[in-house]
């Protein structure tokens, strides 16, 4: 007779399953289903739309293999809230894709550390208590507004000359970052009598744009998906640009240190004037100073200028929307400009930063292995038909004021390059906002007006 002592044979809980997803092929994973729209936009759905469609089959938490790497793709607000709010500590890591690792110091310094540590906490303390405080932002507000006026002047001066819009928008946003970081800027060619910037500042802006173009290029994405390491010879062009950029930044930092030493009493008595002053005054390690500045330039220029491009495109055929936005900006009235900006971000949302599971955990009932990359599909979140119906009317049954862009004629969305762990700029392909703005009938209807 088989006897089992009570309490001696515990029943083990069944392990939670992994999230379902499309079939993964050797080496390429699900890329034939996901990535074809990136390589040939006219032949297949673009990746963000395809991921949203697949979520209807596999659910709001699904496993998708990008090349050899399995990613967990989230497609609902509930899944995103559980992962990044309720269990934020479990998903606090940053993935290190080879190209971005090469550009951002291998995740060892700056804001893009692979894992949170004491150095990141100290950097965040310095940033949020001083750099991004309400007082610091308000102090820079007038400079940012002045840069916007200079962009308006430049667009008026070059109207009808055939000059493309994208370089002007990038220069404007790049100058805003330069003002915030170094109290400097690079003037437009149309600015007569403007003082020439220090040579390192102009070179830094040029290198920043060249690096971003390289990161967003399809060959770079293919190398990342194939798992080509950062020290491979195929990465040499990007590695050379990054080396030049870091050398320029180190020169700028060294010059500012020398300037502060030369006027130590003045520097101690006066408040920090820009980001570099704050970082140096915080006694952070040299690597944190360098790569915090790198993070600002990599993440802060093309993403913002791309959103501006989409705003101009989506309102190009809506003269009443343009006029109302101008009036609201001049009078600081109903908040219409803010609502319009939010609607543009909903219509053409940027990519969100992916995270990495730092421990073995679970999400929406599925097991998540440690090290798994978790990515929220922002396009699916912003274009949910269910939630779109909920937000389309206010309490009185009237259309919400931020629905104005939804009534604009449809335009092709840009191809996305995955899986770079930062929002990507739009590429020069079908759906490029700059290309769409240059089509006859659109640019002519836009009339830049300087806001005073």
């Amino acid at each position: 007779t088989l006897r089992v002592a009570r309490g001696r044979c515990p029943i083990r809980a069944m392990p939670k399953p992994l999230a379902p997803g499309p079939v993964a092929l050797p080496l390429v994973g699900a890329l034939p289903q996901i990535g074809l729209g990136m390589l040939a936009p006219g032949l297949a759905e673009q990746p963000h739309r395809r991921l949203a469609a697949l979520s209807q089959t596999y659910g709001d938490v699904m496993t998708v293999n990008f090349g050899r790497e399995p990613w967990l793709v989230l497609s609902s607000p509930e899944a995103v809230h559980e992962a990044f709010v309720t269990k934020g500590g479990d998903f606090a890591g940053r993935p290190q894709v080879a190209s971005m690792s090469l550009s951002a110091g291998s995740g060892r310094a700056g804001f893009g550390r692979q894992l949170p540590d004491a150095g990141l906490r100290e950097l965040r303390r310095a940033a949020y208590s001083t750099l991004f405080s309400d007082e610091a932002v308000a102090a820079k507000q007038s400079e940012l507004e002045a840069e916007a006026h200079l962009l308006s002047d430049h667009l008026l001066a070059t109207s009808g000359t055939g000059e493309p819009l994208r370089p002007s928008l990038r220069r404007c946003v790049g100058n805003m970052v330069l003002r915030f970081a170094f109290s400097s800027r690079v003037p437009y060619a149309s600015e007569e009598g403007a003082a020439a910037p220090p040579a390192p500042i102009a070179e830094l802006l040029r290198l920043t744009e060249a690096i971003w173009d390289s990161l967003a290029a399809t060959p770079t994405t293919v190398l990342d998906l194939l798992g080509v390491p950062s020290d491979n010879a195929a990465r040499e062009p990007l590695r050379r640009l990054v080396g030049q950029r870091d050398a320029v930044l180190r020169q700028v930092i060294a010059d500012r240190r020398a300037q502060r030493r030369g006027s130590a009493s003045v520097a101690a008595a006066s408040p920090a004037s820009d980001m570099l002053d704050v970082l140096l005054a915080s006694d952070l390690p040299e690597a944190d100073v360098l790569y915090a500045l790198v993070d600002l330039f990599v993440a802060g220029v093309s993403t913002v200028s791309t959103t501006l491009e989409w705003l101009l495109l989506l309102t190009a055929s809506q003269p009443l929307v343009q006029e109302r936005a101008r009036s609201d900006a001049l009078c600081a009235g109903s908040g219409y400009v803010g609502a319009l900006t939010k609607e543009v971000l909903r219509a053409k949302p940027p990519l969100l930063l992916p995270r990495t599971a730092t421990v073995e955990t679970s999400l929406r009932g599925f097991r998540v292995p440690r090290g798994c990359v978790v990515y929220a599909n922002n396009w699916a979140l912003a274009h949910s038909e269910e939630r779109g119906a909920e937000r389309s009317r206010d309490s009185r049954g009237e259309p919400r004021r931020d629905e104005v862009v939804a009534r604009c004629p449809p335009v092709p969305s840009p191809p996305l390059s995955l899986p770079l762990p930062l929002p990507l700029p739009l590429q020069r392909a079908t759906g490029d906002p700059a290309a769409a703005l240059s089509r006859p009938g659109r640019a002519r209807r836009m009339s830049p007006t300087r806001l005073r």
Side-chain angles (χ1 to χ4, degrees), residues 66-204:
F66 291 107
R68 304 175 182 178
E69 197 75 23
W71 283 33
L72 206 62
V73 178
L74 313 182
S75 303
S76 74
E78 294 79 11
V80 172
H81 187 274
E82 181 179 343
F84 301 151
V85 179
T86 306
K87 297 183 176 180
D90 292 355
F91 298 96
R94 298 290 189 194
Q96 295 298 305
V97 177
S99 59
M100 289 303 302
S101 175
L102 181 61
S103 172
S106 302
R108 294 190 297 268
F111 291 102
R113 280 173 165 80
Q114 189 169 2
L115 294 171
D117 57 16
L120 180 59
R121 288 192 292 272
E122 181 62 22
L123 181 57
R124 285 176 171 171
R125 183 199 62 76
Y128 295 126
S129 64
T130 308
L131 271 179
F132 305 129
S133 65
D134 292 341
E135 296 78 8
V137 172
K140 286 292 183 181
Q141 185 69 28
S142 60
E143 293 188 40
L144 302 184
E145 291 176 355
E147 194 60 50
H149 290 318
L150 289 170
L151 170 64
S152 180
D153 286 343
H154 174 69
L155 293 179
L156 287 168
T158 58
S159 179
T161 64
E163 179 174 328
L165 181 64
R166 171 170 289 171
S168 298
L169 291 177
R170 281 194 178 183
R171 174 64 58 84
C172 174
V173 179
N175 277 339
M176 289 181 175
V177 173
L178 287 173
R179 285 175 182 256
F180 188 80
F182 305 120
S183 300
S184 186
R185 64 181 299 272
V186 178
Y188 299 97
S190 62
E191 291 183 53
E192 297 181 0
I201 296 298
E203 178 66 1
L204 176 61

Side-chain angles (χ1 to χ4, degrees), residues 155-448:
L155 293 179
L156 287 168
T158 58
S159 179
T161 64
E163 179 174 328
L165 181 64
R166 171 170 289 171
S168 298
L169 291 177
R170 281 194 178 183
R171 174 64 58 84
C172 174
V173 179
N175 277 339
M176 289 181 175
V177 173
L178 287 173
R179 285 175 182 256
F180 188 80
F182 305 120
S183 300
S184 186
R185 64 181 299 272
V186 178
Y188 299 97
S190 62
E191 291 183 53
E192 297 181 0
I201 296 298
E203 178 66 1
L204 176 61
L205 195 59
R206 184 192 71 80
L207 290 168
T208 297
E209 293 183 356
I211 289 171
W212 189 260
D213 288 340
S214 177
L215 290 173
T218 299
T220 301
T221 303
V222 172
L223 292 176
D224 287 335
L225 294 175
L226 295 177
V228 176
S230 57
D231 58 355
N232 188 277
R235 307 275 191 181
E236 180 57 30
L238 176 59
R239 188 161 47 245
R240 184 167 55 251
L241 287 170
V242 168
Q244 293 171 356
R245 179 205 64 194
D246 290 355
V248 171
L249 272 175
R250 289 189 177 95
Q251 178 186 345
V252 172
I253 294 169
D255 291 345
R256 182 67 66 87
R257 284 191 187 277
Q259 180 184 345
R260 289 172 62 85
R261 283 196 298 268
S263 53
S265 59
V266 176
S270 60
S273 62
D274 54 35
M275 181 175 181
L276 183 52
D277 276 339
V278 170
L279 294 174
L280 293 178
S282 300
D283 293 326
L284 295 167
E286 188 75 13
D288 275 335
V289 174
L290 173 66
Y291 286 107
L293 294 169
V294 167
D295 292 338
L296 180 66
F297 278 91
V298 170
V301 177
S302 288
T303 49
V304 177
S305 64
T306 294
T307 299
L308 291 176
E309 286 185 67
W310 275 123
L311 188 149
L312 294 176
L313 172 59
L314 292 171
T315 59
S317 62
Q318 301 287 321
L320 293 180
V321 172
Q322 294 181 46
E323 193 60 38
R324 185 174 175 184
R326 290 191 186 100
S327 299
D328 185 71
L330 288 168
C331 301
S334 64
Y336 185 82
V337 172
L340 177 61
T341 303
K342 289 179 181 179
E343 183 63 11
V344 170
L345 290 170
R346 186 202 65 81
K348 301 296 176 183
L351 296 180
L352 298 179
L353 286 167
R355 303 285 186 89
T356 304
T358 57
V359 295
E360 178 94 10
T361 185
S362 64
L363 185 59
R364 305 280 282 177
F366 297 109
R367 180 168 61 89
V368 181
R370 179 183 179 186
C372 179
V373 177
V374 181
Y375 165 69
N377 184 1
N378 200 15
W379 193 89
L381 299 175
H383 289 79
S384 165
E385 292 184 5
E386 176 185 349
R387 289 169 181 81
E390 293 174 358
R391 63 186 290 282
S392 62
R393 302 264 171 189
D394 62 18
S395 58
R396 297 174 297 176
E398 297 294 328
R400 294 184 186 274
R401 67 187 182 201
D402 55 348
E403 293 297 309
V404 290
V405 175
R407 296 195 293 270
C408 292
V411 294
S413 295
L416 300 184
S417 296
L418 294 175
L420 296 185
L422 281 175
L424 299 177
L426 310 182
Q427 300 179 31
R428 296 187 179 278
T430 303
D432 187 328
L437 279 171
S438 66
R439 290 199 296 265
R442 286 197 182 273
R444 286 199 301 271
R445 299 191 66 174
M446 301 188 63
S447 52

